[in-house]
Amino acid sequence: SVTQMHAMLRMALRLGADLATAFAQVNDQLAETLPDSRFVTAFVGLLNLPTHTLHYANGGQSPILHFQAAERRFARLKPTSFPMGAMPLPAPKPLASAALAPGDVLVLASDGLYEQEDAEGRAFGVQRVESIVQAEAEATLDTLAASLLQAFDTHAPAGRQEDDLTLVLLQRLPATTVTPLSQA
């Protein structure tokens, strides 16, 4: 059903639908075709590069973490809708938006990361992800991803991954100071 959702979304966007309309159309198609007990959580967004603003629809995918580097705190991008395919939408819902400032990091992870339990039944959890992101805020995204996955592997009982694991990291690079060339 995830592959089906991706194909439907690509087709709607190719046919000229804006993101909010495409999200609603795909949701309604999934509501018609998925069995009653099935649904898809999804986060879809468009990043406006000149303004560094992310416009998004979040169908039950939570939490999406926005590390705000200047304040060294997190905001959580809440769902804008219930999971896709759970029920038809009467009309497209407006997109939400988040402004990415220099150094900000967006952490999109499936619940397989947050809900993975250790041998004692303790979940990996949102706080652990936030701690790692704060500790690695100055590092590259490759280093941050490696740190998150290493902590996950250490937390999970050997060879026992309970759910799928998807991790997407997005960072607006920190502002740099440009020194003008001296004139001779």
Side-chain angles (χ1 to χ4, degrees):
S1 56
V2 172
T3 304
Q4 180 185 14
M5 190 267 314
H6 285 157
M8 287 183 210
L9 188 59
R10 277 194 303 272
M11 182 60 69
L13 292 171
R14 282 185 187 144
L15 292 174
D18 60 74
L19 186 60
T21 302
F23 185 87
Q25 288 174 351
V26 171
N27 175 79
D28 293 353
Q29 289 174 0
L30 289 171
E32 288 177 16
T33 58
L34 290 176
D36 287 343
S37 61
R38 304 289 294 178
F39 56 84
V40 176
T41 62
F43 180 94
V44 293
L46 293 173
L47 180 60
N48 182 319
L49 291 177
T51 66
H52 305 285
T53 303
L54 177 69
H55 301 281
Y56 65 89
N58 181 356
Q61 187 71 38
S62 185
I64 305 298
L65 303 177
H66 177 189
F67 176 67
Q68 298 167 329
E71 297 85 17
R72 297 201 58 82
R73 66 182 174 95
F74 286 87
R76 294 187 185 174
L77 307 185
K78 295 185 165 71
T80 58
S81 176
F82 43 78
M84 296 182 80
M87 66 181 72
L89 286 170
K93 294 188 177 249
L95 297 176
S97 63
L100 300 176
D104 284 9
V105 176
L106 199 64
V107 179
L108 299 105
S110 61
D111 58 3
L113 176 72
Y114 300 112
E115 295 175 3
Q116 175 67 49
E117 294 181 350
D118 63 11
E120 284 79 41
R122 293 179 299 236
F124 189 75
V126 175
Q127 273 66 34
R128 187 181 315 243
V129 173
E130 290 178 345
S131 294
I132 294 167
V133 172
Q134 279 191 323
E136 299 286 349
E138 315 305 318
T140 66
L141 291 185
D142 286 342
T143 300
L144 175 56
S147 294
L148 286 165
L149 295 174
Q150 175 62 43
F152 176 86
D153 288 343
T154 301
H155 179 81
R160 219 179 80 216
Q161 184 177 328
E162 297 165 7
D163 198 353
D164 68 291
L165 176 61
T166 302
L167 176 64
V168 176
L169 302 172
L170 175 70
Q171 180 182 39
R172 179 174 173 192
L173 294 177
T176 57
T177 306
V178 177
T179 306
L181 296 172
S182 61
Q183 295 181 344

